[in-house]
Amino acid sequence: MREIFLGKARHWLLLVVVAVCFFLTGIYHLHVSQFNIFVSITMVMAVMLVFSVILDYRPGDRITREDLPEPDGD
């Protein structure tokens, strides 16, 4: 499964947590009844995801299936 799901298990778990949060906000219709709360939840989750990926990255971690080409010295 490591060849299919690149990245760390923590990142995939966070993606599942975000999906569940969006599912719950949809059930309670927060996107139409309490829009400010919905936007706050969305922004907090986005910041949490971005920082968790950025802070958890180490040089040499595999992020793509193929190697990225080296940039030329133009």
Side-chain angles (χ1 to χ4, degrees), residues 2 4 15 23 26-27 29-30 36 46 50 61-62 65 67:
R2 287 182 174 257
I4 297 172
L15 186 64
F23 179 75
I27 286 178
H29 306 286
L30 290 182
N36 291 337
V50 168
D61 283 350
R62 184 174 172 197
R65 295 191 193 289
D67 291 332

Side-chain angles (χ1 to χ4, degrees), residues 5-57:
F5 297 107
L6 295 180
K8 299 177 181 172
R10 288 185 291 264
H11 299 163
W12 288 101
L13 181 63
L14 285 173
L15 186 64
V16 170
V17 168
V18 168
V20 168
C21 287
F22 278 139
F23 179 75
L24 292 174
T25 58
I27 286 178
Y28 293 114
H29 306 286
L30 290 182
H31 59 290
V32 291
S33 63
Q34 300 290 328
F35 186 72
N36 291 337
I37 293 173
F38 173 74
V39 170
S40 299
I41 291 170
T42 304
M43 295 302 287
V44 166
M45 286 191 302
V47 169
M48 177 188 72
L49 283 174
V50 168
F51 277 115
S52 67
V53 171
I54 288 174
L55 295 175
D56 200 27
Y57 173 75

